[in-house]
């Protein structure tokens, strides 16, 4: 029986069979973990997601959203109980070291838990995610005193956290920030300025909220180079750790949004009365570098948001398509109405969604594994190699998974027909909730600019080269499997086309041609996302094909008919056949288009820059 959020069989496939999470347990850092423990964690996470978090999903959207009342932000009332329970159950900061109240859990495993929780209610999980992100920042860059003062309370969920970058005049252009900091004689800083759109900016789930705030110290240079970062609590903290006076962080309002209505998105006015004190985090003028640690984590989290909503939308639409009876089967000509899953176009939509969700899941979990390996691999070279994958893939995950998340939710709505557009079913909410992920944490265009103008060339292109060698190794494995030969050819062509495009971009940039890459950054990112998704699916299909060979042999199923018959009674056979189908479909329908899309980019069309502003009219 599906939990209607995430396919737990596929989660286990990716973790156990594709990535091999147990490889991590050979390292001293994760020696305390075992596969039994992983299985237990996954079962418990599913239970917690379904029983505690999921029931808040519709309520916090329709009857009980975050509200601004009496000058304060309030989280949905229905969030209070699960928030308490998530802290008590130890789910709040599992990747944190044990001494800070975490479980020292590998990131690979945590990614699967966060998919489950995020699919149950992403808006609820934002309060947790931002707190853990802000605590991580203080843990890495704070003084011992700051760590003792803030991190413990944040990791146990007593105090919450945020990230404060955006201002009315500084959105994508963070360097335009006007928030300012003035040195005080005691070494602290007086903070003034307005930050807008701050997620979890003000709420009543915790007794205090700790804001990492970007601001410019008076006299420091303009742009991002002059920005520092400060720890600014809503209530000051006394030396003994108790709460002191209000720190002049005044909430202007909460936004009324299209989706994630349970998340309190606040405008915060710092130092309206000249009485807001901040502590410097790290060194002066290092604010952007420090905040990037949290931003990169949050970008991966935002990519996961796309996957979370897409996964839940897929699970729901598979269930609906098996229940909804409409129209006759045009192929069999039977006069009876059939479940809509019998219609070829619905099947195509479901397979489109399924293949993307599975590929994105694998991409996200693999990135979790890369993070773990970048910390625990034995040699510096190896750690660099793993970190290189993370650096390169972060903007792709953020932008590709969030864009695809919206597309998948849209297709799910089509599967539901008119009912999908109505509030009676959850897919319209999935679609509304998914959209923000393409915008916040740096719009998808900003991600694509980061990819094309920074990440591709990082370490002289070595990170990208390493990714290509991984993808090419999979080509060879696929070619060796009869059932995958045709798909392997299509996949190989897409990898080659991406490689050529990568060289072409390098040539453009080296030749001083910036306009074409600038116009097409998003197109390139999506092509790259498709090829990486294709890689993860083909890699999965190799494993699934080998498993199927064994299972067919054991059962003596030596014809396609017998194999299908076996699949009807054996859920493992059906699952592995589904994995092969996902890869074949993706290769035939998505990867085949890669070459053409690259060809279109190479035409070098500059019309968007040549057309006059006036020609757009208005
Ligand atoms: C619900 C919600 C929650 C949020 N949570 C937070 C939070 O917790 N903390 C926080 O600090 N911020 C938060 N934000 C702010 C969010 O990160 C910004 O909205 C986002 O970065 C874009 O900034 P902007 O809205 O000012 O758009 P703008 O920067 O004005 O961009 C408008 C358009 O122009 C494009 N554009 C801008 N510059 C360029 C360029 N150089 N090249 C090409 N195109 C460009 C953008 O891609 C976009 O399409 C949140 C926003 C929302 C809506």
């Amino acid at each position: 029986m599906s939990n209607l959020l995430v396919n737990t069989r596929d989660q286990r496939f990716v973790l156990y069979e594709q990535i091999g999470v147990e490889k991590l347990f050979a390292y001293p850092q994760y020696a305390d973990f075992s596969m039994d423990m992983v299985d237990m964690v996954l079962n418990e996470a599913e239970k917690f997601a379904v029983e505690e978090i999921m029931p808040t999903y519709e309520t916090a959207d329709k009857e009980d959203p975050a509200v601004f009342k009496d000058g304060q932000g309030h989280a949905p009332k229905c969030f209070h109980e699960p928030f308490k329970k998530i802290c008590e159950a130890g789910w709040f900061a599992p990747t944190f070291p044990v001494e800070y109240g975490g479980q020292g859990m590998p990131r690979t495993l945590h990614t699967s838990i966060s998919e489950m929780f995020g699919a149950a209610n992403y808006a609820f999980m934002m309060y947790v995610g931002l707190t853990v992100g802000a605590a991580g920042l203080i843990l890495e860059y704070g003084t011992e005193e700051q760590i003792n003062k803030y991190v413990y309370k944040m990791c146990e969920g007593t105090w919450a956290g945020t990230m404060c970058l955006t201002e009315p005049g500084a959105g994508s252009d963070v360097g335009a920030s006007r928030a300012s900091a003035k040195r005080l004689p005691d070494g602290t800083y007086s903070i003034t300025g307005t930050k807008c759109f701050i997620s979890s900016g003000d709420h009543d789930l915790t007794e205090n909220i700790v804001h990492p705030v970007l601001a410019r110290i008076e006299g420091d240079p303009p742009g991002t180079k002059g920005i520092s970062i400060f720890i600014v609590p809503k209530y000051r903290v006394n030396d003994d750790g108790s709460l002191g006076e209000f720190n002049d962080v005044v909430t202007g309002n909460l936004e009324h949004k299209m989706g994630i209505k349970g998340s309190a998105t606040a405008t915060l006015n710092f130092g309206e009365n000249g009485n807001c004190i901040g502590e410097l985090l790290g060194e002066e003028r290092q604010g952007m570098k420090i905040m990037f640690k949290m931003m990169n984590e949050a970008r991966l989290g935002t990519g996961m948001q796309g996957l979370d909503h897409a996964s839940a939308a897929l699970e729901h639409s598979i269930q609906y398509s098996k229940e909804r009876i409409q129209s006759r089967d045009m192929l069999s000509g039977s006069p009876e109405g059939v479940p809509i899953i019998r219609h070829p176009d619905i099947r195509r939509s479901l397979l489109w969604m399924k293949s993307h969700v599975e590929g994105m899941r694998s991409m996200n979990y693999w990135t979790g594994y890369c993070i773990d390996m970048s910390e625990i691999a034995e040699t510096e070279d190896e750690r660099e190699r793993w970190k290189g994958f993370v650096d390169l893939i972060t903007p792709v995950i953020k932008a590709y998974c969030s864009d695809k998340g919206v597309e998948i939710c849209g297709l799910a709505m089509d599967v539901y027909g008119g009912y999908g557009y109505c509030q009676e079913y959850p897919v319209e909410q999935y679609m509304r909730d998914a959209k923000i992920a393409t915008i916040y944490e740096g719009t998808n265009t900003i991600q694509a600019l980061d990819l094309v103008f920074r990440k591709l060339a990082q370490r002289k292109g070595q990170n990208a080269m390493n990714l290509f060698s991984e993808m090419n190794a999979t080509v060879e494995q696929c070619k060796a499997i009869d059932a995958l030969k045709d798909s392997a050819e299509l996949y190989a062509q897409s990898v080659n086309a991406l490689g050529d495009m990568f060289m072409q971009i390098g040539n453009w940039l080296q030749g001083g041609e910036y306009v074409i890459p600038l116009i097409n950054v998003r197109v390139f990112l999506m092509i790259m996302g498709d090829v990486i998704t294709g890689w993860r699916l083909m890699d999965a299909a190799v494993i699934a094909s080998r498993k199927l060979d064994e299972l067919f042999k054991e059962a003596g199923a030596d014809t396609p008919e017998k194999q299908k018959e076996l699949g009807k009674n054996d859920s493992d056979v059906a699952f592995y056949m589904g994995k092969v189908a996902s890869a074949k479909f993706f290769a035939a329908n998505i990867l085949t288009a890669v070459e053409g899309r690259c060809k279109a980019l190479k035409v070098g069309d500059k019309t968007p820059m040549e057309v006059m502003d006036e020609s757009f009219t208005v």
Side-chain angles (χ1 to χ4, degrees):
M1 177 67 189
S2 166
N3 54 44
L4 291 181
L5 296 176
V6 179
N7 181 336
T8 53
R9 177 67 182 87
D10 194 49
Q11 283 196 305
R12 282 173 169 80
F13 172 83
V14 178
L15 284 177
Y16 301 179
E17 298 174 65
Q18 193 175 17
I19 291 174
V21 66
E22 80 277 9
K23 284 183 282 185
L24 295 171
F25 310 152
Y27 291 84
Q29 290 87 337
Y30 298 125
D32 289 346
F33 283 82
S34 65
M35 289 311 284
D36 283 349
M37 206 189 273
V38 171
D39 220 44
M40 188 194 76
V41 165
L42 289 175
N43 285 337
E44 289 301 312
E46 182 184 9
K47 198 161 167 262
F48 193 87
V50 171
E51 290 177 6
E52 307 293 343
I53 306 178
M54 193 157 100
T56 64
Y57 190 59
E58 193 185 340
T59 315
D61 180 68
K62 309 213 163 58
E63 300 144 32
D64 181 23
V67 290
F68 181 62
K69 208 170 76 190
D70 305 326
Q72 300 277 328
H74 299 262
K77 291 187 236 15
C78 63
F79 281 5
H80 284 253
E81 197 54 29
F83 191 84
K84 225 166 68 196
K85 286 187 177 163
I86 206 169
C87 301
E88 287 164 2
W91 292 120
F92 201 79
T95 54
F96 261 63
V98 176
E99 59 267 36
Y100 296 102
Q103 300 170 24
M105 184 183 281
R107 184 64 183 251
T108 317
L109 175 57
H110 183 247
T111 309
S112 63
I113 296 169
S114 73
E115 184 191 1
M116 185 66 82
F117 289 179
N121 192 343
Y122 194 85
F124 169 76
M125 288 308 294
M126 286 173 75
Y127 293 95
V128 179
L130 283 152
T131 304
V132 175
L137 214 53
I138 300 174
L139 185 61
E140 183 150 346
Y141 294 99
T143 60
E144 207 181 323
E145 196 189 335
Q146 288 171 333
I147 292 171
N148 288 334
K149 194 165 162 187
Y150 297 107
V151 173
Y152 292 93
K153 295 257 189 200
M154 293 171 82
C155 284
E156 66 190 27
T158 308
W159 297 348
T162 65
M163 58 193 297
C164 298
L165 294 90
T166 306
E167 298 175 19
S172 301
D173 184 6
V174 181
S177 166
R178 297 179 61 178
S180 77
K182 188 176 167 186
R183 288 187 193 87
L184 297 174
D186 66 353
T188 61
Y189 294 76
S190 168
I191 308 290
T192 45
T194 295
K195 297 284 176 183
C196 59
F197 294 142
I198 304 306
S199 299
S200 317
D202 193 22
H203 59 82
D204 50 3
L205 290 173
T206 55
E207 61 188 35
N208 203 4
I209 303 174
V210 181
H211 304 285
V213 178
L214 292 184
R216 198 180 310 277
I217 298 170
E218 281 182 349
D220 275 350
T224 48
K225 285 196 179 79
I227 292 181
S228 302
I229 184 165
F230 301 88
I231 305 173
V232 185
K234 177 176 173 182
Y235 292 99
R236 292 187 198 156
V237 182
N238 298 322
D239 288 344
D240 65 357
S242 61
L243 289 190
E245 62 182 299
F246 180 62
N247 195 24
D248 195 13
V249 183
V250 176
T251 304
N253 70 347
L254 295 193
E255 300 296 339
H256 297 273
K257 310 188 295 291
M258 168 181 173
I260 55 162
K261 293 180 187 228
S263 169
T265 312
T267 299
L268 300 177
N269 298 311
F270 294 88
E272 250 185 4
N273 308 298
N275 202 20
C276 177
I277 302 295
E279 296 171 36
L280 183 69
L281 179 62
E283 290 174 19
E284 292 186 352
R285 293 174 296 286
Q286 295 296 307
M288 280 310 287
K289 189 181 142 236
I290 295 173
M291 189 60 113
F292 253 108
K293 176 187 154 54
M294 187 169 177
M295 281 157 68
N296 282 329
E297 298 253 327
R299 285 174 178 182
L300 292 174
T302 306
M304 282 294 291
Q305 181 181 1
L307 169 63
D308 297 346
H309 298 309
S311 168
L314 167 66
E315 295 297 305
H316 277 87
S317 41
I318 294 171
Q319 186 196 44
Y320 186 80
S321 70
K322 290 182 176 179
E323 289 169 356
R324 170 75 174 159
I325 309 289
Q326 200 64 195
S327 308
R328 292 181 301 123
D329 183 339
M330 288 172 71
L331 293 176
S332 76
S334 139
E336 302 293 321
V338 290
I340 57 170
I341 195 169
R342 296 304 327 150
H343 301 309
D345 175 66
I346 295 281
R347 298 178 79 77
R348 184 186 196 284
S349 296
L350 291 176
L351 203 46
W352 196 97
M353 294 156 74
K354 170 174 148 59
S355 57
H356 278 85
V357 165
E358 289 174 0
M360 294 195 298
R361 176 172 298 129
S362 177
M363 192 197 303
N364 277 281
Y365 291 17
W366 178 74
T367 306
Y369 184 73
C370 294
I371 296 174
D372 288 330
M373 291 305 293
S374 73
E375 290 165 1
I376 65 174
E378 273 153 19
T379 66
E380 181 66 33
D381 276 359
E382 277 182 86
R383 290 195 293 275
E384 280 276 293
R385 184 168 171 279
W386 289 109
K387 182 176 178 304
F389 289 136
V390 181
D391 289 344
L392 179 66
I393 210 170
T394 296
V396 181
I397 285 198
K398 193 285 180 183
Y400 182 82
C401 296
S402 59
D403 267 356
K404 288 295 166 193
V406 176
E407 262 187 87
I408 289 163
C409 292
L411 261 185
M413 195 181 279
D414 288 335
V415 169
Y416 272 80
Y419 296 96
Y421 195 67
C422 299
Q423 297 199 342
E424 192 183 341
Y425 291 94
V427 285
E428 63 83 30
Q429 189 186 341
Y430 288 133
M431 190 163 175
R432 285 188 288 107
D433 285 356
K435 182 57 202 166
I436 185 58
T438 72
I439 297 168
Y440 60 12
E441 278 320 318
T443 64
N444 284 358
T445 306
I446 297 299
Q447 306 306 314
L449 288 167
D450 179 43
L451 175 70
V452 171
F453 285 86
R454 227 164 63 86
K455 298 293 174 63
L456 289 184
Q458 242 177 8
R459 294 210 301 148
K460 300 199 169 103
Q462 189 58 51
N463 297 339
M465 289 306 158
N466 289 344
L467 184 64
F468 276 104
S469 26
E470 293 286 322
M471 295 197 292
N472 281 321
T474 304
V475 169
E476 295 313 314
Q477 290 181 331
C478 294
K479 281 184 177 164
I481 292 177
D482 271 351
L484 296 178
K485 272 201 172 114
D486 291 348
S487 307
E489 199 48 51
L490 302 175
Y491 164 56
Q493 283 165 9
S494 74
V495 175
N496 290 338
L498 180 70
D500 284 352
M501 198 59 235
F502 173 62
M503 302 305 278
Q504 173 71 67
I505 288 180
N507 290 340
W508 273 327
L509 297 181
Q510 271 170 14
E513 171 57 77
Y514 297 113
V515 175
I516 304 168
L518 276 170
I519 292 172
N520 292 296
V521 278
R522 266 185 94 159
V523 181
F524 177 77
L525 182 144
M526 294 308 282
I527 293 174
M528 187 159 163
D530 277 339
V531 176
I532 296 173
T533 304
W535 165 49
R536 300 311 297 157
L537 289 169
M538 294 304 293
D539 182 65
V542 169
I543 299 161
S545 298
R546 289 179 184 149
K547 283 275 183 189
L548 282 172
D549 280 351
E550 284 170 26
L551 293 166
F552 290 153
K553 207 165 161 192
E554 261 172 40
D558 50 7
T559 63
E561 293 72 29
K562 284 185 194 166
Q563 292 167 355
K564 270 199 166 176
E565 204 45 47
L566 185 65
K568 285 189 181 145
N569 302 309
D570 182 327
S571 60
D572 262 348
V573 171
F575 173 77
Y576 290 124
M577 286 173 107
K579 294 302 288 180
V580 174
S582 287
K584 282 184 164 180
F585 175 84
F586 200 87
N589 293 278
I590 281 84
L591 297 182
T592 39
V594 166
E595 229 174 336
R597 286 154 77 200
C598 289
K599 200 169 158 195
L601 286 194
K602 285 185 188 165
V603 168
D605 177 42
K606 294 186 185 174
T607 317
M609 297 314 291
E610 287 162 358
V611 63
M612 294 185 307
D613 289 6
E614 292 75 6
S615 302
F616 285 107
T617 68
V618 176

